[in-house]
Amino acid sequence: MSRFLNVLRSWLVMVSVIAAGNTLQSFRDHGFLSEKLYTASPGLVNGLQARTFGVWTLLSSVIRCLCAIDIRNRT
């Protein structure tokens, strides 16, 4: 496997792990979203939005991890 693919695989795994941690943080405490992401209007962030963000981030994390595992699949 080429060096570029190894670096790309490592990058995808690292970003996937960070996103999984972000997912856990979203489910645990939705104050994270109002403090770090939605700083313009933190009062509008509620638990439903935090869980929606968590599910979306979890799905993208799984997709990144699967792409890192099967890096040769062009689809």
Side-chain angles (χ1 to χ4, degrees), residues 2-71:
S2 71
R3 180 178 166 98
F4 174 73
L5 287 180
N6 284 334
V7 171
L8 180 62
R9 177 180 277 175
S10 300
W11 176 258
L12 285 172
V13 168
M14 183 184 70
V15 172
S16 176
V17 168
I18 291 170
N22 204 0
T23 297
L24 293 175
Q25 197 168 16
S26 296
F27 281 119
R28 190 178 53 124
D29 180 27
H30 73 272
F32 159 75
L33 290 175
S34 62
E35 292 172 6
K36 303 293 183 194
L37 295 177
Y38 299 108
T39 56
S41 56
L44 298 178
V45 178
N46 59 23
L48 177 62
Q49 289 172 329
R51 289 187 300 272
T52 303
F53 178 79
V55 169
W56 178 263
T57 308
L58 178 66
L59 288 175
S60 66
S61 172
V62 168
I63 290 171
R64 286 180 190 125
C65 188
L66 291 175
C67 287
I69 291 170
D70 191 16
I71 196 83

